[in-house]
Amino acid sequence: MLKVLIPTIMLFPTIWLVSPKWLWTTTTAHSLLIASISLTWLKWTSEAGWTSSNMYLATDPLSTPLLVLTCWLLPLMILASQNHITPEPISRQRSYITLLASLQTFLIMAFGATEIIMFYIMFEATLIPTLIIITRWGNQTERLNAGTYFLFYTLAGSLPLLVALLLLQQSTGTLSMLVLQYSQPLQLNSWGHMIWWAGCLIAFLVKMPLYGVHLWLPKAHVEAPVAGSMVLAAVLLKLGGYGMMRMMVMLDPLSKELAYPFIILALWGIIMTGSICLRQTDLKSLIAYSSVSHMGLVAGGILIQTPWGFSGAIILMIAHGLVSSALFCLANTAYERTHSRTMILARGLQVIFPLTAVWWFIANLANLALPPLPNLMGEIMIITTLFSWSPWTILLTGAGTLITAGYSLYMFLMSQRGPTPNHIMGLQPFHTREHLLMTLHLIPVLLLVTKPELMWGWCY
Amino acid sequence: MADYKEAPLATRPKTLDPAEYFNLSPEYRRAEEKRAALRAQLKRQYLQQLNNPHRKELIEDPALTRWTYARTNNNYFRPTAKTSLIGGLFGVLPLFALYVVFKSDRDKREAKIKAGTYERPYKLST
């Protein structure tokens, strides 16, 4: 764990001391090196337990895929931001990459934490660099509104979590996940305990986001610059899912009764947000709502607490992280050329950018969960386990799959097919950097088809 | 053309309406000329931008800007009886309806399991 954390902390001196000519090359190479070191986590030595070198930072089959995803994403974020940040003064460029690297550090410590309170502190700490990225480097005036919504929704959800964690510490004497997994089931039988149960989960449900409290997400995703959107969609939403999976261990048996409203909100949210996607005019907004839809499936899978549900949730989180990030990168390439996110403005791009049309195609097919990609594996596992939980859910999840296919194809056809507008000129050809970015996103998705056991969590 | 008679159930198109061409008042004519002049001006401006060889950026379309702004900044929502009904029907009622459906289904299954009569239809490890 430290062999990844220390190089990540050493990114800070790298950023500030390297000469301006080599800034982007060096940081990209450094973060790629960290990403390749992080792949060693995938070989876990003990079958089901934690692999740890000390008491406070450990990896286990649940956190390893998310950690590798986080480390993989940092070079991609730096690659994606290179174009729009380079015109700025050098110290501002360094600050930007510093924010990305600090986000990375907090995320590694969050996913690797064994004490729940450390996870909570890192969970909150990730808000700050993201807020600064959104409000300082976003492109429209709405970014202030977006930052406010993002910050206060998550904070309002996580204050009950702090209280709940302190209560847990008080009653069990420890907050280490290594210890709590062996603890006796808690006696949970009063209204106070129910509020405690809700307090444990609300923060993660807001972060996921659950349908009723998802309002921060479209704003934050749309107004953030590309690296902000990438990290939000790919990793920060998964913090919510990861937190829920960790907390569910201790929250039985109340979860059987109290989870119903949240499962219902999640399932209904799949359909509602999917339908909203079909009416969007803003490309990034469409991708943001599709994130809410997929995360609704993940939330449903986690809340019913079955083995397939957990596995499906992890797989869908990883696959969705990569694919959603890829879609945001593609949307950004269109934005950098036309300076507009309107879908009907940048259409018919297949004629002009044929290779990019391939990336759009693969990314959209992955988004609609085409076999054999891992998106389908995750969705099918969650849909199956939901069906086994109650057969009526198939109506909702089936309709959700249909709507997902609808808006993914809509996004593809709108941006790639059709007549190219006459008045668009001077679109720069696609840089090698952008093609590299897309391949680095999509190749792991394709490789995960061959070895999905890496993502199956505890149930492998 | 002046004695064109439309079919019994069809409406006469505007370009074939004799009121467009005959008996026009001078004010109407002047207004039409002004409107045509404005249209020609806008078209000339667009064509100048379109065919300018040194242009590298997009031609800005104010109508598109207005349209996207209107579509995204949704300040046009007002809670009326109809919108509240739709909101309740699609946003609130399904939640309660689904709760009733799932809870009763799960409780039935739980009762059968407790009574020992539940036969598992599939051999799945879900």
Side-chain angles (χ1 to χ4, degrees), chain A residues 162-176:
Chain A
L162 180 62
V163 175
L165 288 179
L166 294 175
L167 275 174
L168 188 60
Q169 162 85 1
Q170 192 77 318
S171 70
T172 58
T174 177
L175 272 179
S176 171

Side-chain angles (χ1 to χ4, degrees), chain A residues 127 131 134-135 142-156 206 213-220:
Chain A
L127 290 179
L131 178 72
I134 297 178
T135 50
E142 287 85 12
R143 67 186 189 271
L144 303 171
N145 201 10
T148 313
Y149 265 73
F150 166 67
L151 185 70
F152 285 108
Y153 261 74
T154 319
L155 277 181
V206 169
V213 289
H214 69 290
L215 205 51
W216 63 271
L217 185 133
K219 293 189 200 284

Side-chain angles (χ1 to χ4, degrees), chain A residues 103-125:
Chain A
L103 201 53
Q104 173 86 335
T105 323
F106 294 142
L107 283 167
I108 294 181
M109 288 204 273
F111 283 125
T114 54
E115 295 271 339
I116 307 186
I117 202 72
M118 171 142 138
F119 173 70
Y120 174 77
I121 296 176
M122 292 304 144
F123 178 80
E124 297 299 304

Side-chain angles (χ1 to χ4, degrees), chain A residues 306-309 381 384-385 388 459, chain B residues 122-126:
Chain A
T306 59
W308 273 35
M381 285 176 92
T384 315
T385 185
S388 148
C459 310
Chain B
Y122 320 105
K123 291 183 174 53
L124 280 179
S125 66
T126 62

Side-chain angles (χ1 to χ4, degrees), chain A residues 311-379:
Chain A
S311 287
I314 308 174
I315 300 174
L316 190 52
M317 286 203 290
I318 304 290
H320 169 261
L322 286 166
V323 169
S324 216
S325 182
L327 282 170
F328 273 116
C329 290
L330 283 169
N332 183 57
T333 58
Y335 180 76
E336 280 176 2
R337 282 162 177 75
T338 56
H339 290 289
S340 160
R341 292 191 297 259
T342 320
M343 278 172 64
I344 56 178
L345 187 58
R347 59 195 153 97
L349 296 179
Q350 185 171 7
V351 208
I352 331 178
F353 301 127
L355 182 53
T356 315
V358 176
W359 307 137
W360 272 102
F361 191 50
I362 300 180
N364 277 311
L365 288 181
N367 202 20
L368 61 87
L370 190 79
L373 300 172
N375 298 67
L376 176 79
M377 186 183 308
E379 282 195 17

Side-chain angles (χ1 to χ4, degrees), chain A residues 6-21:
Chain A
I6 303 261
T8 315
I9 297 180
M10 282 296 127
L11 253 181
F12 294 106
T14 311
I15 296 168
W16 287 95
L17 296 176
V18 87
S19 80
K21 197 164 62 134

Side-chain angles (χ1 to χ4, degrees), chain A residues 21 247 250 318 455:
Chain A
K21 197 164 62 134
M247 298 299 279
M250 300 168 296
I318 304 290
M455 297 186 291

